[in-house]
Amino acid sequence: IRSMLQLGGGSRSANPAPSDNQRRAGRVNCEGIMTSWGEILNASASGLRISARGKALPEIGEVAMITICGPEGPFEVTAKAVWIKHRNWGKREIGVQFVDVPEQARWHLARLAEAASRATLLDTVTSNGFADFPEP
């Protein structure tokens, strides 16, 4: 998680390996975290995947300020819509890339990632501990 939280402006390789998955950073799954464009499905150091329906949504390439209701309260970050996928019943998924993230927003994004990763970890714990993992 710590490496994911290094929200600096890394650069892409000039010749990335061909793949449908061109992700630059690891992801954390999010539940119940809303933005002004919809609910965050997952987050990374470079952007978000948002589920949205029936709102004034961006066009691909549009850069706008979005509000994220994080665990430490709402904060704003500038984001660029890099892809949009139409789903059923008018739902859309939007891939956004962060643009010029100020230090305060980096702090909030780090708290969001830490909270989401703790929630995911706690979901795997049973009354017997990590029951799905064999004893050494």
Side-chain angles (χ1 to χ4, degrees), residues 19-72:
S19 164
D20 288 339
N21 184 353
Q22 297 287 326
R23 292 181 176 166
R24 295 184 295 166
R27 300 283 191 263
V28 291
N29 291 325
C30 300
E31 279 190 28
I33 299 174
M34 299 301 295
T35 74
S36 50
W37 287 348
E39 182 179 4
I40 298 174
L41 298 174
N42 61 43
S44 76
S46 59
L48 305 169
R49 182 169 60 113
I50 298 172
S51 175
R53 176 189 289 163
K55 298 182 180 190
L57 299 174
E59 298 291 325
I60 293 175
E62 183 177 338
V63 176
M65 187 72 72
I66 63 172
T67 301
I68 300 172
C69 299
E72 302 292 330

Side-chain angles (χ1 to χ4, degrees), residues 29 114-124:
N29 291 325
E114 288 172 352
S117 66
R118 272 196 308 275
T120 301
L121 177 62
L122 291 175
D123 285 346
T124 64

Side-chain angles (χ1 to χ4, degrees), residues 2 5 19 32 38 54 61 65 68 76-77 80 93 99 113 118 123:
R2 282 284 154 210
L5 300 178
S19 164
M65 187 72 72
I68 300 172
E76 292 186 328
V77 64
K80 176 181 179 180
E93 287 183 8
V99 178
R118 272 196 308 275
D123 285 346

